[in-house]
Amino acid sequence: MNAVDPLPPTGSGLSQAEAKARLDRYGPNTLPDSKPKSLWSIARDVLIEPMFLMLLVAGGLYLVLGDLAEATFLLMSVLVVIGITLLQERKTQRALEALRDLSAPHARVVRNGHEARIPSAEVVVDDVLSLREGDRIAADATLLGGYLEADESLLTGESVPVRKIPDPGDSSIFAGTVVTRGRGMARVTATATATALGRVGQALSSTMEVTSGLQRASRRLVRRFAVAAMVCAISLWLLNWLWDGHGLVDSLLSGIALAMAILPEEFPVILTVFLALGAWRIARQKVLTRRISAVEALGAITVLAVDKTGTLTQNRMRVAELHVGRHSFPAAEAGLPPEFHALVRFALLATPADSTDPMEQAIRLFGAERLDAGAHALTKAAAVKEYGLDPELLAMTRAFREAPNEPYLLSAKGAPEAVIELCGLTAAEQDVLGSEVHAMAERGLRVIGVAAGTWGEGDWPATQRGFRYRFIGLVGLIDPPRPAAAGAIAECHAAGIRVIMMTGDHQATARAIAAQVGLSLAPKLITGAEMEALTDEQLGERLRHVDVCARVQPTQKLRLVRTLQQQGEVVGMTGDGVNDAPALKAANVGVAMGERGTDVAREAASLVLLDDDFASLVVAVRQGRRIYDNITKATRFVVAVHIPVVALALVPSLLHWPILLMPVQIVLLELLIDPACSIVFESAKASPAIMRRPPRPIGESPFRGVNLGYGIAQGMGLAAVLLLGYAFALGRGIGIEQGRAAVYVGLIVAVFLLTLANHDLSHALWRGRLADNPWLLRMLGGVGLMLAGIVSIPALRSMLGFGAPDATTLVFGSFMLAGCVIWLEAVRHLTRHTSLAIIE
């Protein structure tokens, strides 16, 4: 229950101590959500996997045969593999939980008299919320001041925004709804399940649980392999029992061994672990992944359409220059000449006192520093009437009354061309001002025009065009480029990724900034007005050669995304406002701003830049390519490693040889294969050339023919070498147990060789850089321990059906090892000089 305590003073809000006490008393402001899987649930899911069911059946059959040692080993191996799986699942789960914590919504509240941004879960009853356009409201509340319009479709299904004012009939606002317009302060009346949203039982969906396209494809593939494995296993069982005369139980065990060899149960593990841990690694680079599918798409991005302000620039706007008449004043100089006082004063009057826009904050800071107290006084008053920015007229007007019975004082600011239009200047005056605006913009300044006027008594006009203004002057502001922007753009160009800068600035300003960040030596530009005049086909053709979109409106970004996608581009789009949300959702990878973005933009996006820095986004692209490369390597390894295991389980039966592989031997191999898939390849570093190659096609998959074919070629060669070795052993009179041991030892070493070979296709096996991935050295140690156990522990050898190695066996094994190395190097050399080459 959430009790309503006495209302605190709106200006100060709750104290931190009182807020903590209420949080402890009523609990967090969260709705019931799915709980993390327990260890028992994970273990249960593992046990119903086909692989583990087959292990349990095999263990039971060994018990029927009276082979207690084999049965015990198999069942203990099941526990070991379950333990490895539990560790993988917990690591993945912790990564996802960390991402959920980062992506949890936040709210602005007044605490101890100061506005603070806190997790929405910490909002308590009687907190005072500070709300603005784009915020998702954290709790049910009553509006205390201001004016809002809220989208309540989550609760009502109606998409038309609802007006909210501090009136008993229209002041209630609700958790989960979105502020689409206005600003205001509200007192929280209910949180968590006591809210209207909580009462209807709706919880915010967790985007992190949605499976990706690759995950769905891998599960379909595994299901098909499972059916094939069962058919082959039953066929082999009947073949061995009815044709070769093997015992019923032995024949069944060989069939189970074949099914275990065929089933590539590692694929879902690879994709789940790699994508989740990849998202966690990306988050450490200050890029939050809200949708796992974005990790897949990152490596395929061909165009990055990015906002200039705050992404390529530092978002530290400051006034740099003033212009009145024929006079200019650089803001770096001290003081403020009298002829510029009116310009600064009216610019301040046109700027809301509580604005969070960096440009408007810069104007207010400059005015507070340069104007005297008398000139600055009216700028702190509330406006009597306001006209906001309009896509048709990029200007805003605010009206004040200095004294009773005097006309209202009007102050307007906006894009120079819009303010010039409002002032009705002559053509000659427009030409002079246009030249000055162009000159300031070419210096990289963001230029706004300022105008003033008066209004007597009477009805207010419907639009700003109903007033008469006089032009006051121009204000030039500068937002320096981020130091890392130029390097990040150069890296994108080297990686075959086009960067298109989007801005609402003047064309000349946009060109100047584009040149400063290295977008192009001579940036080609299109304006929002030009975009409106073009058909989709014409716009698509223009965009092939465009570097900059200037004077572009947020609503035009959606068309920009769709036009680029129609040309076959894979688009990454940045945005921060409410109007950016459709474009962010439509983009292949929508990227919202974490510091200055709205809740609506963050929820629509696939990624969130926690520091708003373009360089962080480029790091995420590099990580996305690394993750995809590692998935490709692991997929190829799984295919390659299963081929010799299948061959050694199947071919001896077809050729009436002694059975070579049984379940107890295959499960021992799994102790090497599973960690290789989920740990060794996931930890592989990015190729040095990863950002010097073009993006991969969006439809490309690790399961594509060339990648699987490479793995099949590797595996078939190793299978042939090992089968020839077994045939040689049988033909030369080497004991079955010794021959089986030599081939199995060769198979264990082959697993490590395949890991090494697929880890880096650019180097020969004997030049493998083990130090690049510490897990390779650990796996090598595991191989050594396994081989030492087989050679030196009689009980283990007996359980596996192996004989004691002698000199002949060792020489024989060495020849098989040499054959495996030669084959893997031959495949690598051949494919690197043909059209089958795999770029890594």
Side-chain angles (χ1 to χ4, degrees):
M1 293 291 292
N2 284 315
V4 178
D5 296 336
L7 180 66
T10 303
S12 61
L14 293 174
S15 67
Q16 289 289 2
E18 177 60 20
K20 184 178 184 306
R22 296 188 184 202
L23 186 64
D24 293 340
R25 187 188 318 158
Y26 301 127
N29 179 34
T30 56
L31 297 176
D33 203 353
S34 57
K35 296 180 180 178
K37 277 187 177 180
S38 66
L39 291 178
W40 164 245
S41 298
I42 297 171
R44 183 192 60 209
D45 292 344
V46 170
L47 287 171
I48 63 175
E49 290 288 333
M51 173 65 74
F52 297 101
L53 290 176
M54 286 186 284
L55 284 174
L56 293 173
V57 171
L61 291 174
Y62 276 118
L63 284 175
V64 170
L65 289 173
D67 294 329
L68 184 60
E70 286 86 344
T72 303
F73 178 79
L74 267 182
L75 297 176
M76 290 299 293
S77 297
V78 169
L79 295 178
V80 171
V81 176
I82 288 176
I84 293 173
T85 306
L86 289 176
L87 289 175
Q88 292 168 349
E89 286 275 355
R90 285 300 300 155
K91 190 175 182 181
T92 301
Q93 196 172 80
R94 283 196 298 270
L96 292 177
E97 288 169 0
L99 292 175
R100 286 194 192 97
D101 290 342
L102 283 172
S103 63
H106 285 68
R108 279 179 291 270
V109 299
V110 178
R111 296 270 178 90
N112 292 336
H114 300 286
E115 187 171 301
R117 192 166 183 264
I118 64 171
S120 294
E122 297 178 10
V123 171
V124 298
V125 171
D126 283 340
D127 256 330
V128 176
L129 301 174
S130 174
L131 302 170
R132 60 198 65 173
E133 183 178 312
D135 286 353
R136 186 171 291 279
I137 299 170
D140 286 3
T142 300
L143 193 65
L144 301 177
Y147 170 86
L148 300 177
E149 290 183 9
D151 177 358
E152 297 183 348
S153 57
L154 181 67
L155 293 173
T156 66
E158 297 292 334
S159 59
V160 178
V162 180
R163 187 187 68 157
K164 303 292 180 179
I165 57 175
D167 179 84
D170 300 301
S171 63
S172 295
I173 57 177
F174 304 101
T177 60
V178 176
V179 179
T180 58
R181 185 180 178 188
R183 306 167 66 86
M185 306 294 287
R187 173 200 179 216
V188 174
T189 57
T191 61
T193 54
T195 63
L197 183 62
R199 287 194 296 273
V200 297
Q202 297 185 18
L204 293 177
S205 62
S206 173
T207 58
M208 299 302 301
E209 295 296 340
V210 178
T211 56
S212 71
L214 282 181
Q215 287 174 314
R216 292 190 294 272
S218 74
R219 290 172 185 174
R220 287 195 299 269
L221 186 65
V222 170
R223 283 196 295 269
R224 291 168 185 167
F225 269 97
V227 173
M230 293 306 298
V231 171
C232 292
I234 293 171
S235 301
L236 183 62
W237 166 46
L238 295 174
L239 176 68
N240 282 334
W241 181 33
L242 300 177
W243 185 16
D244 285 351
H246 292 290
L248 174 64
V249 177
D250 282 344
S251 299
L252 188 55
L253 286 171
S254 67
I256 291 174
L258 178 62
M260 292 170 62
I262 293 174
L263 189 65
E265 83 286 350
E266 298 89 356
F267 283 151
V269 174
I270 290 169
L271 293 169
T272 300
V273 172
F274 282 40
L275 293 175
L277 293 185
W280 174 73
R281 291 180 192 277
I282 290 173
R284 296 176 68 184
Q285 305 295 331
K286 297 187 180 299
V287 181
L288 171 65
T289 304
R290 288 184 54 82
R291 294 177 179 85
I292 286 291
S293 58
V295 178
E296 294 178 23
L298 275 171
I301 288 175
T302 59
V303 175
L304 281 173
V306 298
D307 289 321
K308 174 188 76 70
T309 302
T311 308
L312 295 176
T313 62
Q314 298 180 25
N315 202 29
R316 295 177 181 173
M317 199 78 71
R318 58 181 175 81
V319 175
E321 186 177 330
L322 304 177
H323 182 84
V324 174
R326 297 183 179 275
H327 304 284
S328 294
F329 174 72
E333 295 184 7
L336 184 68
E339 60 266 33
F340 295 96
H341 279 214
L343 173 61
V344 176
R345 181 169 182 256
F346 280 102
L348 269 176
L349 287 171
T351 303
D354 58 351
S355 174
T356 58
D357 182 271
M359 181 188 70
E360 295 188 325
Q361 288 180 334
I363 292 172
R364 297 205 68 84
L365 177 63
F366 185 81
E369 292 174 346
R370 305 297 177 100
L371 290 178
D372 57 45
H376 193 250
L378 185 60
T379 66
K380 299 179 181 179
V384 176
K385 181 74 173 177
E386 294 189 23
Y387 294 82
L389 288 172
D390 188 290
E392 302 297 324
L393 184 66
L394 298 178
M396 60 184 296
T397 296
R398 305 179 77 226
F400 299 85
R401 173 160 269 173
E402 291 188 278
N405 302 320
E406 288 191 7
Y408 294 101
L409 190 64
L410 306 177
S411 58
K413 68 173 172 56
E417 60 269 27
V419 176
I420 288 171
E421 177 190 337
L422 287 175
C423 294
L425 301 182
T426 64
E429 291 172 327
Q430 290 183 36
D431 288 343
V432 171
L433 277 173
S435 298
E436 185 57 38
V437 168
H438 189 78
M440 293 173 71
E442 284 189 324
R443 296 195 289 276
L445 300 180
R446 183 173 186 178
V447 186
I448 62 169
V450 179
T454 57
W455 180 255
E457 298 294 337
D459 294 335
W460 294 95
T463 70
Q464 300 172 77
R465 290 186 172 91
F467 298 118
R468 296 184 63 184
Y469 298 89
R470 70 180 187 280
F471 192 81
I472 304 294
L474 302 170
V475 178
L477 301 102
I478 190 169
D479 184 11
R482 290 183 181 268
I489 288 174
E491 190 172 7
C492 285
H493 289 164
I497 301 171
R498 285 180 59 206
V499 180
I500 298 176
M501 186 180 83
M502 302 176 297
T503 178
D505 287 348
H506 188 277
Q507 299 94 301
T509 303
R511 278 200 178 95
I513 296 297
Q516 289 176 29
V517 298
L519 197 60
S520 173
L521 294 176
K524 295 179 181 177
L525 181 144
I526 188 172
T527 65
E530 290 172 335
M531 289 174 60
E532 288 297 320
L534 297 175
T535 65
D536 287 345
E537 292 75 15
Q538 293 170 330
L539 178 59
E541 186 58 34
R542 281 288 301 275
L543 288 177
R544 294 180 189 275
H545 313 288
V546 161
D547 303 300
V548 178
C549 297
R551 288 290 192 238
V552 67
Q553 298 296 312
T555 51
Q556 294 175 316
K557 290 183 179 180
L558 178 59
R559 187 184 178 202
L560 183 70
V561 169
R562 288 178 172 165
T563 303
L564 288 168
Q565 288 174 332
Q566 287 168 3
Q567 294 178 310
E569 304 284 6
V570 180
V571 183
M573 165 75 71
T574 69
D576 55 10
V578 174
N579 292 334
D580 291 335
L584 291 173
K585 206 163 190 177
N588 299 90
V589 181
V591 185
M593 301 298 107
E595 292 184 350
R596 59 188 171 88
T598 60
D599 289 343
V600 174
R602 284 190 286 269
E603 290 168 9
S606 305
L607 300 177
V608 178
L609 285 182
L610 299 179
D611 59 358
D612 293 4
D613 192 344
F614 177 71
S616 297
L617 177 56
V618 177
V619 170
V621 171
R622 188 187 307 118
Q623 285 287 335
R625 291 188 175 194
R626 184 194 70 84
I627 293 163
Y628 181 84
D629 281 359
N630 289 347
I631 290 174
T632 300
K633 294 173 183 178
T635 301
R636 188 169 61 242
F637 166 81
V638 169
V639 172
V641 83
H642 275 265
I643 297 291
V645 178
V646 170
L648 295 179
L650 177 62
V651 173
S653 295
L654 296 178
L655 298 180
H656 307 289
W657 295 349
I659 293 174
L660 182 56
L661 285 185
M662 298 294 275
V664 69
Q665 289 127 0
I666 291 179
V667 77
L668 192 60
L669 278 176
E670 287 294 326
L671 299 181
L672 276 181
I673 295 173
D674 280 356
C677 292
S678 60
I679 299 175
V680 176
F681 286 107
E682 196 282 327
S683 303
K685 292 182 180 179
S687 163
I690 199 167
M691 292 297 280
R692 295 198 298 271
R693 69 184 192 219
R696 63 177 173 83
I698 187 64
E700 185 178 286
S701 164
F703 308 115
R704 67 192 188 279
V706 66
N707 192 50
L708 298 184
Y710 193 103
I712 291 171
Q714 288 179 320
M716 288 182 68
L718 297 187
V721 169
L722 295 172
L723 285 171
L724 285 173
Y726 192 43
F728 178 82
L730 296 176
R732 290 289 179 172
I734 297 176
I736 294 175
E737 290 79 9
Q738 279 78 14
R740 184 183 291 142
V743 173
Y744 191 77
V745 167
L747 182 58
I748 289 174
V749 175
V751 171
F752 180 74
L753 291 177
L754 281 172
T755 306
L756 198 60
N758 288 290
H759 186 269
D760 185 0
L761 295 181
S762 63
H763 290 83
L765 280 174
W766 51 85
R767 292 181 181 174
R769 296 178 292 185
L770 295 178
D772 285 352
N773 188 342
W775 283 103
L776 279 173
L777 288 172
R778 292 166 188 161
M779 184 179 179
L780 179 60
V783 169
L785 288 174
M786 192 173 290
L787 293 178
I790 291 173
V791 170
S792 61
I793 303 176
L796 181 59
R797 286 202 310 271
S798 175
M799 183 184 64
L800 295 172
F802 296 158
D806 53 21
T808 303
T809 306
L810 294 176
V811 171
F812 166 54
S814 299
F815 276 110
M816 284 194 294
L817 173 61
C820 291
V821 171
I822 291 170
W823 177 257
L824 291 175
E825 278 303 296
V827 172
R828 187 183 72 87
H829 183 78
L830 177 64
T831 56
R832 286 183 69 81
H833 294 85
T834 68
S835 60
L836 295 177
I838 298 175
I839 299 175
E840 286 194 358

